[in-house]
Amino acid sequence: MLTELETTLLGVMMMVIMLGMGASMTPRDFPIAFRKPKGILVGLLSQFAVMPFLGFLLAVLLGLPPALVVGLLLIACMPGGTTSNIFAYFSKGVLALSIMMTTVSTLAAVVMVPLLLSFYGGLAGISGDYAIPAGNVAQILVVLLVPTALGMVLRKMNPNVGATIELIGSFMGVAVIVFLIATWVPRNYQLLLDTPAPVYAATISIGLVGMLFGYWVARGLGQDTRRSRTISLETGIQNGPLAVLVITLSFGAAMQQEVLLIPILYSLFIVLTSTVITLWYRRSSTREALARDAAKLGTAP
């Protein structure tokens, strides 16, 4: 479990992340983005249809116990994390789409996450002490929308200040993952050694398979390769720190450690898997650019 101080620090860090996310845009960006909304809508479909179903499917196929099912479903139902924006940038994806998808999925999460947790939790037979009250999740998400709105206001008032806050918020997303690993893993290394292979399979698969499905769903719905790679990263990279925060505020000390296992392992492995996928996407993008240049030279008079 996390200590009271660690939980407080996590909450503060999440506030900074959401402030940075809000500072990445202004209110007028929404109507502009929704003039051509297909990419965002495809992303939302991947985020809130593909990922929760994948989490439920993995939980059933791997026969996970209730505490681990809760952690896996929570990760699967989370909105995208700001870390995905960094990976989208380095993969030569469409950064504007990545940022908009992260923001829109976070706004939609206030309604979608409680509904999805209730639906899939019911299908998985989660009840009693392991059931996360929908009101708890909604309240936490609503509270986190306050710094998001403040970030948007700051960006509108002063673009330079907004850009600085956006940068800090993006890198804070990585810092939170490092913080969770640095504080939780050393105290629980024996637990990690004793963790069975199906748990690691679920933890790695939820992100990796999510990226794969996100890419092909986007391609199947008519998105080009750059936008599909962006949607892929947004789909697989969930807001792990937010899942950890929900757990620490919803469960007592006795149950916290069990439920936290998959979200914290996910936060570790998603950085590793996303790095590999990003390098692959970057090489693909470079090859496509070279092919386009060669085609132009071939058709030049």
Side-chain angles (χ1 to χ4, degrees):
M1 59 169 289
L2 297 181
T3 65
E4 186 175 342
L5 176 60
E6 289 167 344
T7 302
T8 302
L9 286 173
L10 177 61
V12 172
M13 288 177 173
M14 282 303 305
M15 291 287 186
V16 175
I17 290 172
M18 302 305 283
L19 184 69
M21 188 180 75
S24 66
M25 61 187 65
T26 62
R28 66 190 296 265
D29 291 325
F30 287 94
I32 293 173
F34 278 100
R35 287 174 190 166
K36 295 183 178 179
K38 189 172 181 180
I40 296 172
L41 294 176
V42 170
L44 288 175
L45 176 67
S46 296
Q47 187 76 62
F48 293 122
V50 172
M51 287 298 284
F53 177 73
L54 177 60
F56 171 73
L57 191 63
L58 286 170
V60 172
L61 292 177
L62 296 171
L64 299 180
L68 298 182
V69 172
V70 172
L72 183 60
L73 286 179
L74 194 56
I75 281 292
C77 294
M78 283 291 101
T82 55
T83 312
S84 61
N85 305 151
I86 299 173
F87 284 109
Y89 172 78
F90 284 113
S91 70
K92 297 184 178 180
V94 183
L95 184 58
L97 175 61
S98 178
I99 292 171
M100 184 58 71
M101 277 184 61
T102 300
T103 306
V104 172
S105 70
T106 301
L107 294 173
V110 175
V111 174
M112 294 304 298
V113 172
L115 288 176
L116 290 167
L117 280 176
S118 177
F119 177 71
Y120 282 107
L123 287 181
I126 300 300
S127 60
D129 293 338
Y130 285 110
I132 300 177
N136 280 19
V137 180
Q139 286 173 11
I140 293 168
L141 289 167
V142 167
V143 168
L144 290 177
L145 290 182
V146 174
T148 304
L150 178 60
M152 294 173 68
V153 171
L154 290 173
R155 181 61 175 253
K156 184 174 178 60
M157 291 174 59
N158 190 319
N160 291 331
V161 171
T164 302
I165 294 172
E166 177 190 355
L167 184 65
I168 293 171
S170 295
F171 282 98
M172 185 62 74
V174 178
V176 169
I177 293 173
V178 173
F179 166 75
L180 290 173
I181 294 169
T183 57
W184 189 88
V185 171
R187 294 200 306 267
N188 296 277
Y189 70 92
Q190 190 59 50
L191 174 64
L192 297 177
L193 293 176
D194 295 337
T195 297
V199 176
Y200 285 104
T203 301
I204 296 170
S205 297
I206 189 67
L208 203 54
V209 179
M211 289 183 216
L212 177 65
F213 270 85
Y215 180 85
W216 287 111
V217 166
R219 290 294 287 154
L221 292 174
Q223 298 296 289
D224 62 33
T225 52
R226 279 190 72 208
R227 294 173 77 83
S228 294
R229 288 193 284 264
T230 304
I231 291 169
S232 165
L233 291 167
E234 280 292 327
T235 301
I237 303 176
Q238 304 289 75
N239 199 329
L242 178 56
V244 172
L245 183 61
V246 170
I247 290 167
T248 57
L249 296 177
S250 300
F251 292 101
M255 300 172 63
Q256 225 180 78
Q257 183 164 294
E258 290 180 277
V259 183
L260 277 174
L261 181 58
I262 283 184
I264 289 183
L265 286 178
Y266 169 85
S267 297
L268 167 62
F269 284 111
I270 197 61
V271 174
L272 303 177
T273 54
S274 296
T275 299
V276 173
I277 296 298
T278 293
L279 291 173
W280 180 28
Y281 282 169
R282 188 178 178 89
R283 292 179 80 182
S284 299
S285 181
T286 301
R287 285 198 300 268
E288 288 171 6
L290 290 173
R292 284 195 299 269
D293 291 342
K296 288 179 182 177
L297 289 172
T299 57

